[in-house]
């Protein structure tokens, strides 16, 4: 972000080598804690920012493609064990906030 909160265009390179300029925005998305821990650790092992990893996952999903190679899926399984993540795709859209979880992350106004 530029001083004053202005958005900053970012150049990215596709697999074809074509550079695209995009505008990124800060977001305050809430996510299950262990999922976030696995994603952050995975981004680190792949030398990506968390945002770059999430963009890649979403763009692959939008195209109906698997976002990860077999090798990366093995890394994910290992990280899930490290962080105790026992959720799977079948749990998607069926999670609910634990009591006190929502308010605990909010700051006082």
């Amino acid at each position: 972000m530029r001083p004053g909160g202005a958005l900053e265009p970012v150049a990215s390179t596709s697999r074809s080598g074509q550079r695209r300029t995009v505008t990124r925005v800060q977001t305050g998305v809430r996510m299950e804690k262990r999922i976030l821990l696995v994603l952050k650790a995975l981004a680190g092992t792949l030398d990506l920012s968390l945002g770059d990893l999430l963009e890649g996952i979403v763009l692959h999903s939008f195209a109906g493609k698997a976002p990860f190679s077999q090798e990366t899926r093995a890394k994910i399984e290992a990280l899930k064990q490290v962080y105790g993540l026992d959720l799977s795709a079948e749990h998607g859209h069926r999670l609910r906030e634990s009591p006190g979880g929502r308010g605990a992350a909010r700051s006082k106004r």
Side-chain angles (χ1 to χ4, degrees), residues 21-35:
T21 299
V22 298
T23 301
R24 292 197 169 112
V25 295
Q26 190 67 36
T27 179
V29 174
R30 294 180 60 78
M31 185 177 293
E32 200 279 335
K33 182 178 180 177
R34 295 166 299 165
I35 293 173

Side-chain angles (χ1 to χ4, degrees), residues 11-91:
S12 63
T13 305
S14 67
R15 288 184 187 247
S16 66
Q18 180 184 7
R19 295 192 57 84
R20 301 288 307 262
T21 299
V22 298
T23 301
R24 292 197 169 112
V25 295
Q26 190 67 36
T27 179
V29 174
R30 294 180 60 78
M31 185 177 293
E32 200 279 335
K33 182 178 180 177
R34 295 166 299 165
I35 293 173
L36 182 59
L37 289 170
V38 169
L39 286 170
K40 283 181 171 181
L42 180 63
T45 66
L46 299 174
D47 198 27
L48 295 171
S49 70
L50 178 60
D52 284 341
L53 176 65
L54 292 173
E55 285 172 346
I57 292 169
V58 170
L59 290 172
H60 278 79
S61 296
F62 285 174
K65 297 179 179 181
F68 302 116
S69 67
Q70 210 167 2
E71 179 183 343
T72 302
R73 285 195 307 271
K75 288 180 185 180
I76 292 168
E77 287 305 316
L79 291 168
K80 285 173 65 175
Q81 292 294 315
V82 169
Y83 293 106
L85 180 56
D86 58 354
L87 301 173
S88 67
E90 65 189 33
H91 296 105

